[in-house]
Amino acid sequence: MNEYSIQTRNLNLWYGDFQALKNISTDILKGKITSLIGPSGCGKTTLLRCFNRVNERYGNVRTTGEIKILDKNIYDSDISLIELRKAVGMVFQRPNPLPISVYENIVFGLRIHSGERNWQKSELDEAVESALKGVSLWNDLKDKLQAKATSLLLEQQQKLCIARLLPLKPQVILMDEPCSALDADATKRVEDLMRELAGEYTILIVTHNMMQARRVSEECLFMMLGELVEHAPTETIFSSPKDSRTADYIEGRYG
């Protein structure tokens, strides 16, 4: 029986009078990499940001329908946004490390989310080492932990942004075009990292790169004009889509 990390039912979202999402109902498999593809402006990033309710930061946003994460509707009145965003971490299009040390970037979330707890240095050291090993950066940065994170290479910065999520033990990692600022070699290494993290984490990635979607994801959602057109295993989407609009997009006829 399939297990799902995220389930949406009749999800709609408006920015003012503009409806950006229209009756989205889908199930995201637990522990898999799922890519969101479609033309620019089709609602991919808006849908991604629904899953940790980041859209609400922008004001004039109205949402109806249901999103269940870990069997709990994230729009229920008793939902803590702080706890939700611990469980559903996000990596943005451009790396956004804090302008502090590598070490402090990784322990920042622990300190923010732990209330009055006084962390032992040995605990923080262990969390930093574990997180950097989790993203294959430990050997590169173990002697540079006090270096400013913004001085790192772009690839290292993006991996660091993933690493700083890990001590919070998220269930889901959202990635909004995480390789768009990287060169081909760095993109390959970040994609390899995604594959390593899959299984332990559910990963959703927005990408405009069709080959990337095909390389890294096991499931694929195709969106158009705010609607979910098709959701299927990635190879099915690319080799035998059911909807002609999906085929047109995959074959480069628009978008």
Side-chain angles (χ1 to χ4, degrees):
M1 182 177 178
N2 290 329
E3 288 188 75
Y4 302 108
S5 284
I6 301 173
Q7 296 178 287
T8 72
R9 295 294 180 268
N10 302 315
L11 176 65
N12 297 276
L13 182 141
W14 290 263
Y15 295 114
D17 294 329
F18 172 70
Q19 187 170 1
L21 297 178
K22 303 172 184 176
N23 294 312
I24 305 291
S25 295
T26 195
D27 300 310
I28 305 298
L29 285 168
K30 183 177 181 180
K32 305 293 185 183
I33 302 175
T34 297
S35 60
L36 281 67
I37 64 171
S40 295
C42 70
K44 303 183 298 295
T45 293
T46 294
L47 178 60
L48 194 76
R49 289 176 173 174
C50 282
F51 299 140
N52 63 355
R53 291 179 55 178
V54 169
N55 289 315
E56 295 167 33
R57 293 180 177 177
Y58 302 111
N60 205 25
V61 170
R62 180 168 63 91
T63 307
T64 63
E66 181 179 80
I67 300 175
K68 278 190 174 182
I69 295 181
L70 308 176
D71 296 320
K72 176 73 172 173
N73 184 3
I74 67 172
Y75 292 109
D76 284 350
S77 59
D78 61 345
I79 281 288
S80 161
L81 288 181
I82 292 174
E83 291 302 313
L84 173 64
R85 289 169 186 159
K86 278 176 63 179
V88 185
M90 189 155 189
V91 178
F92 293 91
Q93 186 170 0
R94 288 196 64 84
N96 62 342
L98 299 169
I100 52 180
S101 71
V102 169
Y103 187 100
E104 289 299 326
N105 263 270
I106 293 175
V107 301
F108 183 82
L110 286 176
R111 287 178 167 152
I112 290 294
H113 290 290
S114 60
E116 300 298 317
R117 177 173 174 176
N118 290 318
W119 290 90
Q120 298 295 318
K121 186 176 185 302
S122 60
E123 293 178 295
L124 296 179
D125 289 348
E126 184 179 343
V128 169
E129 181 175 347
S130 176
L132 289 177
K133 284 181 174 177
V135 298
S136 303
L137 278 182
W138 176 247
N139 289 337
D140 292 337
L141 299 184
K142 63 183 178 182
D143 298 321
K144 301 177 183 178
L145 298 181
Q146 298 311 314
K148 204 169 184 179
T150 50
S151 71
L152 301 178
L153 299 172
L154 276 178
E155 173 195 346
Q156 293 176 325
Q157 290 184 35
Q158 194 64 298
K159 286 183 174 181
L160 179 64
C161 291
I162 299 171
R164 71 184 179 189
L165 300 175
L166 304 188
L168 300 177
K169 302 188 184 306
Q171 304 293 318
V172 177
I173 298 177
L174 310 175
M175 296 185 171
D176 189 4
E177 295 191 67
C179 300
S180 64
L182 305 180
D183 64 24
D185 288 341
T187 293
K188 180 182 183 304
R189 288 189 287 270
V190 171
E191 289 177 358
D192 289 343
L193 173 60
M194 290 182 212
R195 294 187 192 95
E196 291 171 15
L197 295 173
E200 186 171 356
Y201 306 95
T202 301
I203 297 175
L204 279 82
I205 174 174
V206 166
T207 180
H208 281 100
N209 184 327
M210 294 299 93
M211 293 303 97
Q212 180 175 69
R214 195 166 191 174
R215 284 192 302 265
V216 303
S217 65
E218 297 158 275
E219 295 272 310
C220 195
L221 280 73
F222 171 62
M223 297 183 66
M224 187 174 177
L225 300 175
E227 297 180 0
L228 175 57
V229 174
E230 194 163 349
H231 177 184
T234 300
E235 198 50 44
T236 300
I237 288 283
F238 280 88
S239 62
S240 53
K242 293 181 179 178
D243 194 291
S244 61
R245 293 170 294 178
T246 310
D248 286 344
Y249 181 73
I250 294 295
E251 293 169 15
R253 288 195 276 271
Y254 63 80

